[in-house]
Amino acid sequence: QDAIRSCSLQLVLSALSYDFIGTTLDDASEEMGTIQVPSAWRPTMEDVATTQLFFDLYSSSAAPASAKSLEALVLLASLRRSLFSSDEERLSFLCRMM
């Protein structure tokens, strides 16, 4: 079960870190900007269960799974503003993140 959790978290991190629109200028840079995920992901990103899953994993897991869960939350917090269907939905998402 730990191996599946670890591989699943790594897959999530890889998907959220992927450069879908080809804007990465320098792979050596560790600066993180806005995450540009496909618009088709909107329902999943706006779903309360998505963020709750990573908060639950963070609080119930030991390292390294807890660190990967936290990294996923950081990436989710960087989602582009235009992904959200409305300002209210974005505000709701940001409140869940805090």
Side-chain angles (χ1 to χ4, degrees):
Q1 191 177 26
D2 287 341
I4 292 172
R5 178 182 300 149
S6 180
C7 289
S8 297
L9 283 167
Q10 190 57 53
L11 178 61
V12 167
L13 294 175
S14 295
L16 290 174
S17 300
Y18 185 76
D19 186 13
F20 286 98
I21 59 173
T23 58
T24 302
L25 300 174
D26 182 10
D27 288 335
S29 174
E30 291 189 17
E31 288 184 32
M32 186 172 61
T34 303
I35 304 299
Q36 302 284 340
V37 299
S39 295
W41 293 15
R42 177 178 291 125
T44 303
M45 297 297 111
E46 290 181 344
D47 189 345
V48 173
T50 301
T51 52
Q52 191 60 50
L53 171 68
F54 294 105
F55 279 113
D56 290 347
L57 278 170
Y58 175 73
S59 65
S60 66
S61 300
S66 61
K68 288 183 178 182
S69 300
L70 186 58
E71 188 177 347
L73 286 165
V74 168
L75 290 169
L76 288 172
S78 302
L79 288 171
R80 64 185 163 94
R81 175 185 301 242
S82 61
L83 177 71
F84 298 95
S85 56
S86 66
D87 287 340
E88 292 79 20
E89 192 62 49
R90 181 172 179 265
L91 180 59
S92 175
F93 175 83
L94 293 174
C95 286
R96 287 192 305 271
M97 295 299 287
M98 297 194 304

